[in-house]
Amino acid sequence: MSANRQTKETFIPDFDPIDTFVTPWSTHAEIAWNGQIVTMGILVCLACGLVGSFIVVRKLALMGDAISHGILPGLALAFIIMKSWALFPMFFGACVAGLLCSFCIEWLQKKSILKPDAALGVTFTTFFAFGVLLIAMYGGNAHIDAECLLYGEIGLIPLAESLSLGGVDLGARPIVSMFVVTVLVIISVTVFYRQLMVTSFDFTLAKTLGLPVTLIHYGLMLLLALTIVSSFEAVGVILVISMLIFPSVTANFFFRRMPAILFCSLPLSFVYSIGGFFLARWLDCTIAGAMVLVASLCFALGWAFGPNGGLAWQLLDRLNDKPGNKNARSEGCAVEGQ
Amino acid sequence: MNPPDSKPLEIHDLTVAYHRKPVLYGIDLEIGEGTLTGIIGPNGAGKSTLIKTIMGMVPSNGGWIRIFGKPAKKSFARVGYVPQRESVDWDFPVSVLDVVLMGRYGHVGWLKRVGKKDRSIACECLEKVNMLPFADRQIGKLSGGQQQRVFLARALAQESDLYLMDEPLAGVDAVTEKTIIELLRDLRNQGKTLLVVHHDLSTAKEYFDQLILLNMRLVAVGEVEKTFTRDLLQKTYGGRLTIFTEVAGQSAGVKEYDKETHPS
């Protein structure tokens, strides 16, 4: 990345449009490097946004939090056994640990007197602590950087080793794996859309329809774990939660049906990734953090101006109180009286 | 093993407990085909629990349940369940038509798309409950009675043989109540079997063919004429009889109690 040209005297660096918008795309090397960062950002936001929409409607928003922390012992064990960051053992270990974590949470919720949120807190912190312990005891020479694990460093993604298949260079490993996971997520969400919807909306109906509700639930959890594992190098285990939750809650201010909310993940992922990139460029800060800030900003805008429950519309309704209420009432009565 | 004319619902010696506290005790029931049966009893009598146990949402501690002669789980495909309105998240991002289409999912293969036929059936069902004009509306933007009718439309779309309904008349206005009852009678006339949890004693006699009187134990089951009697109701409602007589007194259908308890 280019050298830091910001002056450090002011709290907010001066905004230099040329340096922010043009310089990153001025040479081939810059384009290749920054293009990879933005692509990774878009893939992360898209996969997380799609899986996250279902997680949010199932009221499992914090399950993402739990799984993102719960994968740590799996990652650590994979590293200790393989003695290196091999792709498949890492994915395998992390997914098993993530699924085990969600299984333990549900087991505790059902079989103990613990409240659901307490069961969640107890389980994932135990998993996380176990992972930290494993790394401290056996991973002395592991290249596990706690800061990178927690916050991620999407700016260094292009540094990762290249993956090649049959002599063809596919690109940086994290981007390739993220791409594969994103495609998998898109396919699963499209093919099993109905099953995911009905099990999320009405568990009992799903059961009477003969759907394997437990299998579908853990399928979704597996998808969530896969998404988190492939994202955490870029955005870390903490910020990945915001990528899961923000797209769907923001889209919710504009759309009232699930397909629209899912589609919304695509434009939002571009906005988050590109916006975050430029914001980080301007403020000279971590890109992952800037992406989340952009996501928060979009959410705030949605909350303020979104047609579904946005503050501006509520205010407007209140200003036109009488006519609005009259309309609503007469419409309701007309049909009730049929 | 299973006779061809097996009953839609048979329950034998069913016991259910929450945290070791019995909620239902030794329930024995048989419901015949093509009947409209009301389940009545005081609060906490286990009316909803009975339905939830049949649907496998609450584990039983003993006894067995058979639906159409098979263990309950194997016959769920023939059962339509209408839950209490509070049991689902009404902010869920689905439209009215989406919810009704969910009732068709049992008729659509795993990897197939919902077809035109399913859509037209869903629309017909919405029409029957007078909710077609609201097909595209998000479910949270409906009144309570409208939400209840959406659930009914979904149950209709399932084309089940046995319907279990948990207070479908709770919180609906008089006109909607009439629409719903008409619909239930229609279904019965088509040979479907309906089991309906009902909270309003004053209308129970008028609405149902059969009654199940429940208060943790089964007090009585059978035709309305034989079960809606003073003795049995007193047994069911126990100490709350005074409240009951007030309710019953207002009801035109049970004048004999009025005379007995309020001689004027």
Side-chain angles (χ1 to χ4, degrees):
Chain A
M1 281 220 280
S2 67
N4 168 22
R5 267 164 270 149
Q6 311 291 354
T7 48
K8 288 281 176 189
E9 285 97 57
T10 48
F11 182 65
I12 297 175
D14 292 331
F15 181 64
D16 177 356
I18 301 286
D19 181 59
T20 308
F21 294 117
V22 181
T23 319
W25 316 101
S26 54
T27 65
H28 281 296
E30 287 263 22
I31 291 173
W33 180 281
N34 294 322
Q36 289 191 58
I37 295 173
V38 172
T39 309
M40 183 70 182
I42 291 170
L43 290 173
V44 167
C45 295
L46 184 57
C48 286
L50 290 175
V51 177
S53 301
F54 284 103
I55 300 293
V56 169
V57 294
R58 284 177 172 238
K59 300 203 173 75
L60 289 176
L62 287 180
M63 189 60 110
D65 190 16
I67 289 190
S68 69
H69 287 77
I71 61 171
L72 188 63
L75 283 176
L77 276 177
F79 182 83
I80 289 163
I81 294 167
M82 301 304 291
K83 305 252 186 288
S84 75
W85 282 126
L87 187 63
F88 286 104
M90 193 177 91
F91 262 82
F92 182 74
C95 284
V96 169
L99 279 183
L100 200 65
C101 184
S102 84
F103 180 78
C104 284
I105 290 167
E106 260 145 65
W107 186 71
L108 267 183
Q109 284 172 351
K110 272 186 198 148
K111 301 284 172 187
S112 77
I113 53 162
L114 284 187
K115 296 274 180 289
D117 50 346
L120 194 120
V122 164
T123 314
F124 87 79
T125 47
T126 307
F127 270 69
F128 193 68
F130 183 54
V132 170
L133 214 79
L134 278 175
I135 292 171
M137 286 167 70
Y138 303 104
N141 54 353
H143 305 292
I144 299 181
D145 179 357
E147 216 165 281
C148 185
L149 187 82
L150 291 178
Y151 311 126
E153 189 41 83
I154 195 168
L156 297 180
I157 289 294
L159 276 183
E161 71 279 11
S162 278
L163 269 189
S164 57
L165 191 72
V168 184
D169 185 15
L170 296 174
R173 175 184 50 77
I175 301 179
V176 176
S177 56
M178 192 70 232
F179 178 76
V180 172
V181 168
T182 308
V183 171
L184 188 72
V185 166
I186 293 173
I187 292 174
S188 321
V189 165
T190 326
V191 173
F192 299 114
Y193 174 77
R194 270 189 290 128
Q195 286 81 2
L196 284 168
M197 281 299 272
V198 71
T199 51
S200 304
F201 178 64
D202 191 339
F203 190 77
T204 319
L205 177 71
K207 252 172 128 180
T208 52
L209 295 175
L211 292 177
V213 283
T214 317
L215 188 73
I216 291 168
H217 176 75
Y218 283 107
L220 184 64
M221 290 298 119
L222 180 67
L223 221 51
L224 178 62
L226 274 172
T227 311
I228 290 170
V229 181
S230 44
S231 312
F232 87 90
E233 267 182 286
V235 292
V237 296
I238 297 179
L239 297 183
V240 72
I241 303 149
S242 57
M243 291 298 128
L244 286 167
I245 299 174
F246 271 121
S248 92
V249 294
T250 307
N252 208 24
F253 284 117
F254 298 91
F255 299 104
R256 278 293 190 179
R257 283 188 71 228
M258 197 62 166
I261 290 174
L262 290 173
F263 276 119
C264 230
S265 301
L266 186 66
L268 281 176
S269 65
F270 277 80
V271 172
Y272 294 172
S273 180
I274 297 170
F277 177 81
F278 287 133
L279 184 66
R281 183 85 190 174
W282 168 32
L283 300 178
D284 190 30
C285 65
T286 157
I287 299 171
M291 277 165 61
V292 176
L293 272 181
V294 171
S296 312
L297 192 72
C298 292
F299 171 75
L301 285 175
W303 191 18
F305 303 112
N308 290 331
L311 294 175
W313 292 79
Q314 280 180 21
L315 201 71
L316 216 68
D317 274 356
R318 213 168 293 163
L319 287 178
N320 313 329
D321 201 0
K322 281 171 193 168
N325 270 0
K326 229 184 219 169
N327 281 344
R329 223 170 276 152
S330 62
E331 186 188 17
C333 282
V335 174
E336 287 284 359
Q338 271 179 6
Chain B
M1 281 279 287
N2 301 327
D5 59 336
S6 49
K7 300 260 179 182
L9 180 68
E10 289 171 88
I11 297 176
H12 179 67
D13 199 22
L14 181 76
T15 300
V16 178
Y18 274 137
H19 300 295
R20 294 190 187 163
K21 220 178 126 196
V23 185
L24 289 174
Y25 200 79
I27 307 287
D28 274 298
L29 269 184
E30 258 186 26
I31 301 293
E33 202 161 349
T35 53
L36 175 54
T37 308
I39 305 178
I40 58 174
N43 289 336
K47 298 174 299 224
S48 289
T49 307
L50 177 63
I51 294 230
K52 284 179 181 164
T53 313
I54 299 169
M55 293 310 295
M57 295 152 74
V58 174
S60 68
N61 299 56
W64 50 254
I65 299 168
R66 285 211 182 120
I67 299 175
F68 295 108
K70 287 184 200 156
K73 259 186 192 171
K74 291 189 176 166
S75 291
F76 277 164
R78 296 178 70 181
V79 182
Y81 171 64
V82 178
Q84 281 186 14
R85 199 151 30 91
E86 300 80 48
S87 73
V88 301
D89 172 15
W90 290 97
D91 288 330
F92 203 89
V94 284
S95 67
V96 167
L97 185 63
D98 288 334
V99 173
V100 180
L101 275 173
M102 282 182 189
R104 298 298 305 162
Y105 286 2
H107 301 264
V108 185
W110 258 77
L111 299 177
K112 283 188 190 147
R113 296 247 140 219
V114 176
K116 263 190 188 162
K117 192 188 148 216
D118 297 301
R119 257 168 220 286
S120 68
I121 290 175
C123 287
E124 273 169 38
C125 296
L126 274 175
E127 181 77 71
K128 279 183 199 161
V129 296
N130 294 333
M131 285 294 291
L132 196 55
F134 294 86
D136 291 326
R137 192 173 282 204
Q138 198 267 335
I139 52 168
K141 301 202 162 170
L142 300 173
S143 72
Q146 293 171 335
Q147 291 176 341
Q148 202 69 65
R149 283 186 275 160
V150 173
F151 265 168
L152 266 166
R154 188 182 74 179
L156 292 180
Q158 277 182 264
E159 298 180 333
S160 312
D161 298 313
L162 171 66
Y163 285 102
L164 304 175
M165 305 188 173
D166 205 345
E167 303 229 18
L169 300 176
V172 305
D173 61 53
V175 182
T176 306
E177 184 159 325
K178 216 176 152 194
T179 318
I180 293 177
I181 283 299
E182 285 300 315
L183 210 70
L184 301 187
R185 286 183 177 150
D186 263 5
L187 286 170
R188 175 202 56 199
N189 295 342
Q190 289 167 30
K192 316 264 184 185
T193 309
L194 299 103
L195 210 60
V196 180
V197 173
H198 192 58
H199 63 288
D200 186 6
L201 266 182
S202 60
T203 49
K205 191 176 180 184
E206 179 193 344
Y207 287 168
F208 302 106
D209 318 332
Q210 292 197 68
L211 286 178
I212 294 172
L213 302 184
L214 197 69
N215 192 353
M216 288 172 72
R217 289 165 189 274
L218 183 71
V219 179
V221 56
E223 283 165 28
V224 172
E225 289 75 30
K226 287 175 190 159
T227 48
F228 202 78
T229 64
R230 190 177 182 197
D231 283 350
L232 286 174
L233 288 170
Q234 188 166 27
K235 227 172 147 187
T236 314
Y237 282 80
R240 294 172 218 213
L241 182 68
T242 42
I243 302 168
F244 154 66
T245 42
E246 272 171 36
V247 174
Q250 290 158 7
S251 151
V254 280
K255 275 192 181 127
E256 61 259 44
Y257 307 123
D258 202 32
K259 282 178 206 155
E260 280 178 41
T261 50
H262 304 289
S264 50

